[in-house]
Amino acid sequence: MMRTRPLKVALLGCGVVGSEVARIMTTHADDLAARIGAPVELAGVAVRRPSKVREGIDPALITTDATALVKRGDIDVVIEVIGGIEPARTLIRSAFEYGASVVSANKALLAEDGAALHADAEKHGRDLYYEAAVAGAIPLVRPLRESLAGDKVNRVLGIVNGTTNFILDKMDTSGAGYSEALDEATALGYAEADPTADVEGFDAAAKAAILAGIAFHTRVKIGDVHREGITEVTAADIASARRMGCTVKLLAICERATDGRSVTARVHPAMIPLSHPLASVREAYNAVFVEAEAAGQLMFYGPGAGGAPTASAVLGDLVAVCRNKLNEAPGPGESAYTRLPVSPMGDVVTRYHISLDVADKPGVLAQVATVFAEQGVSIDTVRQQSRPDSQEPDGEASLVVVTHRAPDAALSGTVEALRKLDTVRGVASIMRVEGE
């Protein structure tokens, strides 16, 4: 039997995502009520610019006082899509205190202060749901938190930023350079006017922190995540990857150590084989590959951003939270019982693709191989090619070395030692190789 008194929802933010949330709540009101067991009512919308016309939203609902809205006392659920750390953090904590559960899309806040927010939610008996914070419309947080709760997840490997995937895909398919591909992404609306958060890996690092925390039942903050962006990826790197039967992707990688005593979380560009499922993820799409002990390998794929896809995830959480409200039983909260430490990047075992500009004369390869041996790094393959157009007196060659897996610190030490060789004119590129 459906309850007639509506559940009241406060919406914080009415931009690209918030406006879609409001639209779906209005146009699908009957379906949402049937799925929840009670109607939902948009009780207020907090914005910064009240004069802006917002089609389909009653102007009487618009307010600039978000604090007063969440403290009304009759709000059942607060949807937070304003982003950033403050005032979002304070508003969410006030929502819990004044009786509301929260649905958030705020990856930056959750990656920075998720533990405290979960503690507040538990203290007040409220829900904190955030499917939309990672990979847009792709169901990922709930499968990790609930569907795989009885399994042991060992690895999460994914493309979680659509802007960088679009740029790298264009560089791969069209031969464009980084700047040219970024310009196209900006023109199409995939990149912001200031793309730093995307191209430098901050966005993906926040998502990696959230995923690692859920997957491994431990606390991982964005500061624990090793981060590298794609601004240094060149057309030559893409071409080298092609010659190896690989492509380049910005990956978020969260792993449990083989001994089970620690975890790692990192974001960086990497070469992956064309045979890997993630290699075929094109344009601005996202995909996440999960490896669990019992379930095996699972892949989640779909649009990772945009108003409608992100709103879909928000509304899914809204339905779940409203059902919990009706049942007077909050859903699953934070699970951090393992308390595993996060290992530094230097301890991570990886492979490297290293491209060197070297003197084209006898003995160079032997010198390079000696450096690798002294650092304890085994070489997998070597390719050397002379450059007939070189202006150097001794001539110049391109030397590409692909290593076997070794601690990242040893590989970094190898690169530094190579730079000191007189016969090495320069390190053209360094990139990790993953997915094998």
Side-chain angles (χ1 to χ4, degrees):
M1 183 176 177
M2 182 178 295
R3 192 181 84 164
T4 57
R5 184 170 63 83
L7 292 161
K8 294 188 177 183
V9 178
L11 177 61
L12 308 183
C14 198
V16 173
V17 176
S19 59
E20 278 294 312
V21 169
R23 182 189 66 81
I24 296 172
M25 284 186 65
T26 302
T27 57
H28 295 242
D30 291 342
D31 287 336
L32 290 172
R35 294 165 190 170
I36 292 169
V40 287
E41 173 190 316
L42 190 57
V45 181
V47 300
R48 285 184 298 176
R49 296 188 298 274
S51 59
K52 181 179 177 181
V53 177
R54 294 172 172 86
E55 188 176 346
I57 298 178
D58 183 352
L61 297 176
I62 301 297
T63 179
T64 57
D65 194 341
T67 300
L69 178 59
V70 301
K71 289 183 176 182
R72 273 177 37 171
D74 64 340
I75 300 297
D76 295 291
V77 182
V78 168
I79 297 176
E80 183 272 308
V81 288
I82 57 178
I85 304 300
E86 288 292 356
R89 172 168 49 199
T90 299
L91 290 170
I92 289 174
R93 298 184 74 173
S94 294
F96 293 143
E97 183 181 352
Y98 282 82
S101 290
V102 174
V103 173
S104 176
N106 196 332
K107 52 188 169 288
L109 176 58
L110 289 160
E112 177 62 33
D113 211 21
L117 293 177
H118 274 293
D120 269 4
E122 183 177 0
K123 173 184 175 182
H124 295 288
R126 314 300 176 202
D127 276 325
L128 174 61
Y129 276 45
Y130 42 89
E131 185 67 67
V134 182
I138 304 172
L140 186 59
V141 171
R142 201 170 304 156
L144 283 173
R145 188 161 68 170
E146 298 179 30
S147 302
L148 294 172
D151 206 341
K152 180 181 180 182
V153 176
N154 292 316
R155 194 171 195 234
V156 180
L157 171 75
I159 298 165
V160 294
N161 182 273
T163 300
T164 52
N165 199 58
F166 180 88
I167 292 170
L168 293 173
D169 183 44
K170 287 302 172 185
M171 292 176 70
D172 186 27
T173 56
S174 70
Y178 167 76
S179 296
E180 185 182 352
L182 174 59
D183 288 343
E184 184 175 354
T186 304
L188 292 172
Y190 292 126
E192 300 286 347
D194 179 1
T196 302
D198 292 322
V199 300
E200 294 293 356
F202 290 100
D203 176 84
K207 295 170 182 176
I210 294 170
L211 291 174
I214 298 170
F216 307 133
H217 303 277
T218 194
R219 287 178 177 166
V220 180
K221 300 180 69 171
I222 190 168
D224 298 321
V225 181
H226 174 83
R227 175 192 54 79
E228 298 172 29
I230 66 166
T231 55
E232 301 300 320
V233 177
T234 66
D237 293 327
I238 303 293
S240 293
R242 275 284 172 190
R243 285 192 290 270
M244 288 177 58
C246 293
T247 190
V248 177
K249 298 292 186 182
L250 182 72
L251 298 180
I253 306 170
C254 311
E255 295 178 304
R256 189 191 300 268
T258 53
D259 63 7
R261 296 179 180 177
S262 64
V263 300
T264 60
R266 51 196 164 105
V267 168
H268 55 72
M271 297 180 179
I272 58 173
L274 293 174
S275 58
H276 194 281
L278 292 178
S280 62
V281 178
R282 301 295 184 189
E283 299 284 332
Y285 277 78
N286 283 193
V288 178
F289 205 70
V290 177
E291 299 177 11
E293 196 167 89
Q297 298 179 332
L298 308 169
M299 183 168 169
F300 301 83
Y301 170 85
T310 306
S312 171
V314 169
L315 268 296
D317 278 350
L318 176 64
V319 170
V321 168
C322 286
R323 286 171 175 169
N324 295 343
K325 194 86 174 180
L326 291 177
N327 292 328
E328 299 182 347
E334 182 190 34
S335 174
Y337 72 92
T338 63
R339 300 183 182 181
L340 296 172
V342 182
S343 296
M345 186 63 193
D347 293 345
V348 175
V349 176
T350 63
R351 297 179 66 201
Y352 265 32
H353 172 283
I354 304 171
S355 179
L356 305 171
D357 296 326
V358 300
D360 192 8
K361 61 182 184 180
V364 173
L365 182 57
Q367 288 183 336
V368 169
T370 298
V371 169
F372 278 89
E374 289 173 347
Q375 297 291 327
V377 177
S378 177
I379 294 174
D380 184 13
T381 62
V382 177
R383 184 179 71 251
Q384 183 171 339
Q385 184 174 358
S386 297
R387 293 182 176 173
D389 59 344
S390 173
Q391 303 301 311
E392 296 289 336
D394 296 330
E396 197 169 40
S398 175
L399 180 63
V400 176
V401 179
V402 179
T403 73
H404 284 293
R405 290 170 64 82
D408 201 78
L411 289 162
S412 298
T414 300
V415 173
E416 291 306 308
L418 289 171
R419 294 183 194 275
K420 297 176 183 178
L421 292 178
D422 292 338
T423 51
V424 174
R425 305 275 166 75
V427 180
S429 70
I430 309 165
M431 191 169 294
R432 296 177 183 87
V433 182
E434 298 286 345
E436 295 182 326

